[in-house]
Amino acid sequence: MGLWSHHLSLGLLLLFLLPPECLGAEGRLALKLFRDLFTNYTSALRPVADTDQTLNVTLEVTLSQIIDMDERNQVLTLYLWIRQEWTDAYLRWDPNAYGGLDAIRIPSSLVWRPDIVLYNKADAQPPGSASTNVVLRHDGAVRWDAPAITRSSCRVDVTAFPFDAQRCGLTFGSWTHGGHQLDVRPRGTAASLADFVENVEWRVLGMPARRRVLTYGCCSEPYPDVTFTLLLRRRAAAYVCNLLLPCVLISLLAPLAFHLPADSGEKVSLGVTVLLALTVFQLLLAESMPPAESVPLIGKYYMATMTMVTFSTALTILIMNLHYCGPSARPVPAWARALLLGHLARGLCVRERGEPCGQSRPPESSPSPEPPEGEAGHPVGPCHEPRCLCRQEALLRHVATIANTFHSHRAAQRCHEDWKRLARVMDRFFLGIFFSMALVMSLLVLVQAL
């Protein structure tokens, strides 16, 4: 009140002490009008002829710029142009009496102003009004245009980050006047975006306005307010290029570990390298992602991809154990031979070298060695010929031993080849499974960007 009195007294003093001959005709008329209007005027009371009359205030907001969206603290900083219009019953005159002068511009501190403030203000500083002029018309209509930088609270939901959309409300209303004394209404159905400066991170979808009348627990009379809801959608191009696309490429690279030959020695190394790369990107994502109660979409995608790579690496180790089964290993079970080496191998086109696709090598049985027989089918035994080779029984036993060893080695080699072939079938099978999973997950996430 003291500051207002100082401004008013200073303005009146300058105008009253200014010699009229120093002004032109229009200036003298404006000075006379000002003296006539503000001689007995006070800005401390509502400018209505009847104290029971409601003063109507029209509020118009123009969004100029989004300065900052602090997701961590959930604070939205905007640059607005706020226009308030009302009628002052004590500031009226006849334009014909003042040379056709129908409007003047005077400091806003000289007239009564509505105490309309931002209810959801998130700033520690007390609310203040900009020191701008008001336009005063002959019929008492007052228009006050003032720029304002507002910091309002906004509930940020990052569940769909980086493809999220936000709704931030700005509620304006009188702080002390109830609905029976001051009624505030929006001009139009939405805030103006004609002078909006585009933001690099957020795209503005609209800013509709809605009037409400609420009754608070402190007071019995209703309090009207106007809420402007700012509709925002995040521009996800930078996040897709820097965080999402590398993860998609890495996730598609991870299943190729099943396509590497087991003898290369790089199957497990590829899986571990992919897992480390995903961990690094997960750390980068944690730094740029705002904190939230729920896990964002891109965070779920990273966790699902890392889980898939972990399982693929574990399965690669198990398949390599099958590949390196030695000759002492047991033969492939009958069900695995029929199901995996038979039907699944034909379906996945896993074949031996020179074997056409769709046909699998029939299982071979290990021939058992038989003792040497004679020409008539009788066992070779002692004969009466003095120089017959059948007398060399020791030599025949050695030949039989060599034959048995050769057949055993052949059987062990066939068993080892069956296990290696089974490992190739499993590699081909899990290659298709994990590649399809990675492709489907990547498409589901990338579709959100369209």
Side-chain angles (χ1 to χ4, degrees), residues 335-391:
W335 65 268
R337 182 183 297 275
L339 180 63
L340 301 180
L341 296 181
H343 302 290
L344 189 58
R346 285 194 299 268
L348 299 176
C349 288
V350 180
R351 59 188 185 276
E352 298 290 345
R353 183 174 299 176
E355 180 183 349
C357 180
Q359 297 181 3
S360 60
R361 175 174 55 88
E364 299 180 1
S365 58
S366 303
S368 56
E370 298 179 357
E373 298 181 354
E375 295 180 0
H378 300 288
V380 178
C383 60
H384 301 286
E385 296 294 332
R387 302 184 64 181
C388 182
L389 294 177
C390 62
R391 294 181 178 273

Side-chain angles (χ1 to χ4, degrees), residues 37 46 105 113 124 148 161 169-170 175 187 217 230 241 247 253 281-282 310 365 389 406-407 421 443-444:
L37 289 176
R46 268 188 326 125
R105 288 166 175 80
R113 293 175 297 181
F161 178 85
L170 287 85
W175 190 251
R187 178 180 294 277
L230 182 60
C241 295
C247 182
L253 181 64
F281 277 101
Q282 177 71 22
T310 302
S365 58
L389 294 177
F406 176 75
H407 290 308
R421 190 161 181 263
L443 290 179
L444 289 178

Side-chain angles (χ1 to χ4, degrees), residues 11-253:
L12 292 176
L13 181 62
L14 291 176
L15 288 174
F16 279 111
L17 295 181
L18 190 65
E21 58 271 10
C22 296
L23 301 175
E26 185 176 353
R28 287 194 299 270
L29 291 175
L31 177 60
K32 182 178 182 301
L33 174 61
F34 183 85
R35 290 174 177 176
D36 293 342
L37 289 176
F38 288 93
T39 299
N40 297 318
Y41 180 83
T42 176
S43 61
L45 300 176
R46 268 188 326 125
V48 291
D50 187 0
T51 55
D52 295 333
Q53 181 182 355
T54 301
L55 181 63
N56 297 319
V57 177
T58 303
L59 183 65
E60 182 181 358
V61 170
T62 300
L63 178 61
S64 178
Q65 185 180 4
I66 299 176
I67 298 177
D68 182 43
M69 167 67 90
D70 188 356
E71 292 106 337
R72 184 175 298 273
N73 297 318
Q74 298 193 353
V75 174
L76 174 65
T77 305
L78 301 176
Y79 179 51
L80 304 176
W81 297 346
I82 302 177
R83 171 175 291 184
Q84 303 177 48
E85 296 179 350
W86 66 94
T87 301
D88 196 316
Y90 302 115
L91 298 178
R92 294 176 178 174
W93 70 91
D94 184 8
N96 298 325
Y98 297 93
L101 187 63
D102 61 347
I104 59 174
R105 288 166 175 80
I106 58 177
S108 60
S109 59
L110 300 180
V111 300
W112 178 90
R113 293 175 297 181
D115 59 341
I116 293 179
V117 297
L118 180 63
Y119 282 176
N120 56 334
K121 192 174 186 294
D123 198 347
Q125 298 179 359
S129 302
S131 299
T132 57
N133 291 343
V134 297
V135 179
L136 180 60
R137 297 185 58 83
H138 68 279
D139 56 354
V142 182
R143 188 185 69 197
W144 181 27
D145 295 331
I149 295 179
T150 62
R151 287 172 52 87
S152 60
S153 59
C154 176
R155 179 179 175 83
V156 181
D157 184 13
V158 294
T159 304
F161 178 85
F163 311 108
D164 54 326
Q166 306 297 335
R167 298 172 58 92
C168 299
L170 287 85
T171 303
F172 295 90
S174 175
W175 190 251
T176 58
H177 296 91
H180 301 306
Q181 296 177 337
L182 190 148
D183 186 15
V184 56
R185 294 180 179 273
R187 178 180 294 277
T189 59
S192 175
L193 302 176
D195 300 312
F196 177 68
V197 179
E198 291 292 335
N199 189 267
V200 295
E201 186 175 1
W202 297 96
R203 184 169 67 253
V204 177
L205 304 180
M207 197 173 180
R210 181 168 60 97
R211 180 179 179 270
R212 303 181 304 172
V213 179
L214 303 177
T215 301
Y216 299 95
C218 64
C219 312
S220 59
E221 57 181 335
Y223 279 81
D225 61 54
V226 176
T227 301
F228 293 90
T229 304
L230 182 60
L231 307 178
L232 300 173
R233 182 174 293 278
R234 193 187 301 270
R235 301 181 188 271
Y239 296 96
V240 170
C241 295
N242 297 329
L243 294 177
L244 189 58
L245 191 58
C247 182
V248 170
L249 297 178
I250 291 175
S251 64
L252 295 178
L253 181 64

